[in-house]
Amino acid sequence: MKQTLLIFLLVYGFNAALAQQTTWGVNIAPSISHRLPQTKTLPAREESVRSGERPMHTFDFGIDFRTAINDHWYVGTALLYSQKGFANTNVAIPYPDIRVSRAHIIDFIQNYLEIPFFVTRTVFKNNRFQLYPMVGVTNSLLLSEKNRVAVRGGEVDKEVEEALSKPYLRTKQVHNIGLLGGFGIQASVDPKTFIGLEAQTKFMLSPLADISSQSQRNLYSVGLNFRFVRTLR
């Protein structure tokens, strides 16, 4: 009986202590996504496609959970809806059979279900604020990819839009591994509520294959993650 009571108290005490140091957070992260620069010389046709590439605005949204290992180290995971991609302002080359002009712009958008695993280490902490770097890996499952078509100073012709909606790139695999890193600050609102801001960068290890040039390059993003955080108890 005493042994059972002791085990119960130990388990209850461990769970209570863990819950006091475990938080969940709502995350919204506006970001800018692009591809790494081309490192090899391309023929003129392919170079014309590459020269039109521009970064595009994307975002992540979801929830995370973080648990303290000790006073300085935390481990965490998240469930995120994550966008990645880039824009291209020179689309006449990859779509030679379509009536396009220099006014057309394409955003190549990928939508992922993302589960990152990461660690943070508190480097400064007082009664109100704490600062920490973070590093980890991402697991990204591709949900969809598409072209979003626009035209400067006017409306897109429906036939042209439909023809341009098929991406001129293809993803090497549905499941993608990536790296993440950043730095964050968190401020307390009350003993159980916090707000935070994190500067994050993500780099996809699985490249995109460019059908028009047969080159392969990786996507990356840089963004600000706004967090609303609550402790579990």
Side-chain angles (χ1 to χ4, degrees):
M1 181 66 180
K2 291 182 179 180
Q3 290 179 340
T4 302
L5 180 60
L6 179 60
I7 292 173
F8 172 79
L9 291 175
L10 287 174
V11 171
Y12 177 82
F14 174 77
N15 289 335
L18 186 63
Q20 289 294 335
Q21 302 179 79
T22 300
T23 64
W24 66 271
V26 177
N27 298 253
I28 178 69
S31 58
I32 294 176
S33 180
H34 199 15
R35 290 209 289 178
L36 290 181
Q38 180 70 54
T39 57
K40 66 179 182 179
T41 302
L42 297 176
R45 177 181 180 277
E46 287 78 6
E47 179 63 25
S48 178
V49 178
R50 188 208 64 82
S51 65
E53 293 178 358
R54 300 290 185 270
M56 65 171 285
H57 295 286
T58 55
F59 71 94
D60 293 352
F61 177 77
I63 59 174
D64 69 23
F65 295 90
R66 305 185 186 190
T67 299
I69 300 175
N70 54 38
D71 290 340
H72 298 287
W73 289 93
Y74 284 76
V75 295
T77 186
L79 182 64
L80 304 172
Y81 174 84
S82 179
Q83 272 193 353
K84 306 183 192 317
F86 66 98
N88 200 320
T89 61
N90 190 359
V91 298
I93 301 299
Y95 299 96
D97 298 327
I98 304 172
R99 296 181 291 107
V100 298
S101 68
R102 292 188 177 275
H104 285 90
I105 302 172
I106 287 178
D107 290 336
F108 173 69
I109 301 172
Q110 291 188 313
N111 299 307
Y112 285 93
L113 177 65
E114 190 169 271
I115 303 177
F117 298 96
F118 54 88
V119 296
T120 70
R121 187 185 189 282
T122 302
V123 294
F124 172 80
K125 186 176 183 179
N126 61 21
N127 293 333
R128 289 291 307 279
F129 298 97
Q130 66 178 32
L131 302 174
Y132 55 89
M134 63 187 305
V135 65
V137 298
T138 60
N139 292 275
S140 301
L141 179 66
L142 183 64
L143 301 177
S144 64
E145 56 185 4
K146 63 179 181 179
N147 282 347
R148 181 172 59 198
V149 185
V151 63
R152 299 183 184 95
E155 296 183 357
V156 183
D157 181 272
K158 293 299 182 182
E159 292 184 4
V160 174
E161 182 179 15
E162 183 177 352
L164 293 178
S165 63
K166 183 178 180 181
Y168 67 91
L169 304 110
R170 64 176 181 270
T171 305
K172 295 286 288 183
Q173 55 194 46
V174 174
H175 175 242
N176 292 271
I177 300 295
L179 303 175
L180 72 86
F183 200 87
I185 181 171
Q186 184 170 286
S188 63
V189 177
D190 60 47
K192 294 185 177 182
T193 308
F194 307 87
I195 55 174
L197 179 65
E198 295 174 345
Q200 291 185 2
T201 182
K202 296 180 181 180
F203 173 72
M204 301 292 287
L205 296 178
S206 301
L208 286 173
D210 191 327
I211 299 173
S212 66
S213 65
Q214 302 302 312
S215 64
Q216 297 185 20
R217 284 183 286 151
N218 303 74
L219 287 171
Y220 70 91
S221 63
V222 178
L224 289 176
N225 182 28
F226 296 88
R227 303 180 65 232
F228 174 80
V229 185
R230 288 279 293 178
T231 58
L232 288 183
R233 290 188 181 180

